[in-house]
Amino acid sequence: QGTSAHPPHHEAAPHVALPGPSTDGGGAAEAVPATRAPEPVHTVQALAPTGGSAAHVADLVSGPVELVAAVRRLVRDMVVVATLEDAEDLVAAHPELTAVTGEGDLLSAHFAHGGSAGAPSLLEVQASVDEAAAELAGLAVRCTELAEAQRLAAGRRTESAALVEELGERRRAAERERAGVAQQLGRLAGQARGAAGEAERMDASAARAQEALERATEEAEELAERLLVAEEAAGDGADDEPDTGVRDRLAADGANARQTEMEARLQVRTHEERVKAL
């Protein structure tokens, strides 16, 4: 930026005394300027020391007559230049002026403000406002939807918690039932082992009964042969006195053999039925 310089010094304007209030009841004099110092006049050539174009803003103002004078009074120290470099040169040469560029840059000896040729227009600002309002409305609808979704999720969470509790109770009941079944299986396993032992004992008893049956059968056959021999001998010696003791003994042995055979058969049949029942 260009170095700032103090504006040219003008002699103080004379003042006149006007009556005013005082503490002692009298009038005190208040100093006011009687006349205003003359404003410096700059020509366009003087405002463009480097050969650039420059123009007073007041010369570019147009409008109603009753307003133009006031506006020109407000912008009397503003000059329009082409570039920011021209503004720096102008302020360096005339620190009392304010330079304005076509891009909207404002530069003086005491402040600087950046501008932009692409500043948004009123329509663009209104469009941005409408877009923001539409986005806000969409966000409000989205918030309502999310609140409803949150409410539904809370309901589902409550239902899920109740279902979890119910499933937990079912699981505990199933565990208790499984424990009961395990105990019952233990008892049945013990009974099965006992039945297996009983079956083994029955098999051994059946084997012994079968052996006894075979022995009784052999003994019965032997006694039958002896009885047949005795009867033949008795037929040959019919005139001789038969020995009743031998006959009675053989008859008793035959009866005993038949009884033993019958008992053995019954015992074998009983063991077979018990084994089938197991």
Side-chain angles (χ1 to χ4, degrees):
Q1 302 291 338
T3 58
S4 61
H6 296 286
H9 178 71
H10 301 283
E11 294 181 358
H15 294 75
V16 296
L18 297 178
S22 64
T23 56
D24 56 358
E30 181 181 0
V32 296
T35 60
R36 187 175 56 185
E39 298 179 0
V41 178
H42 305 281
T43 63
V44 174
Q45 291 77 10
L47 296 178
T50 59
S53 61
H56 284 286
V57 175
D59 297 338
L60 304 177
V61 175
S62 62
V65 177
E66 61 273 13
L67 298 179
V68 169
V71 173
R72 288 177 177 175
R73 176 72 177 82
L74 293 174
V75 298
R76 67 185 183 279
D77 294 332
M78 293 185 178
V79 179
V80 178
V81 295
T83 63
L84 186 60
E85 289 76 8
D86 294 340
E88 293 177 353
D89 295 339
L90 176 64
V91 172
H94 304 281
E96 72 278 5
L97 297 179
T98 299
V100 182
T101 67
E103 297 293 332
D105 298 316
L106 192 65
L107 184 65
S108 73
H110 306 289
F111 66 89
H113 178 72
S116 174
S121 64
L122 181 60
L123 293 178
E124 293 175 343
V125 172
Q126 185 62 40
S128 299
V129 171
D130 295 340
E131 182 180 357
E135 185 176 357
L136 180 61
L139 291 176
V141 173
R142 180 60 176 166
C143 288
T144 303
E145 294 176 353
L146 291 177
E148 180 65 18
Q150 183 182 13
R151 186 184 65 80
L152 295 177
R156 288 195 297 269
R157 182 179 63 180
T158 303
E159 295 176 357
S160 299
L163 180 59
V164 168
E165 183 65 23
E166 181 181 357
L167 292 177
E169 183 62 28
R170 290 183 181 179
R171 181 177 61 84
R172 289 188 290 270
E175 289 178 353
R176 291 192 296 268
E177 184 177 359
R178 184 180 62 181
V181 170
Q183 293 178 357
Q184 185 176 2
L185 288 176
R187 291 193 299 269
L188 292 176
Q191 294 177 2
R193 288 191 296 270
E198 183 67 19
E200 292 178 357
R201 290 190 295 272
M202 290 297 177
D203 290 339
S205 179
R208 290 193 298 270
Q210 184 66 29
E211 292 176 357
L213 176 60
E214 292 176 356
R215 289 195 301 270
T217 302
E218 292 176 357
E219 185 177 355
E221 292 177 353
E222 182 181 357
L223 291 175
E225 290 178 357
R226 291 173 60 185
L227 180 59
L228 181 59
V229 171
E231 289 177 351
E232 290 178 354
D236 292 339
D239 296 338
D240 298 337
E241 185 68 23
D243 188 357
T244 57
V246 175
R247 185 184 61 188
D248 294 339
R249 182 174 57 81
L250 292 175
D253 290 340
N256 291 333
R258 286 191 296 272
Q259 183 66 28
T260 302
E261 181 182 3
M262 185 180 297
E263 291 178 357
R265 290 182 182 276
L266 290 174
Q267 189 174 5
V268 170
R269 183 64 179 272
T270 302
H271 288 314
E272 290 177 353
E273 291 178 355
R274 288 183 179 179
V275 170
K276 289 180 180 180
L278 294 176

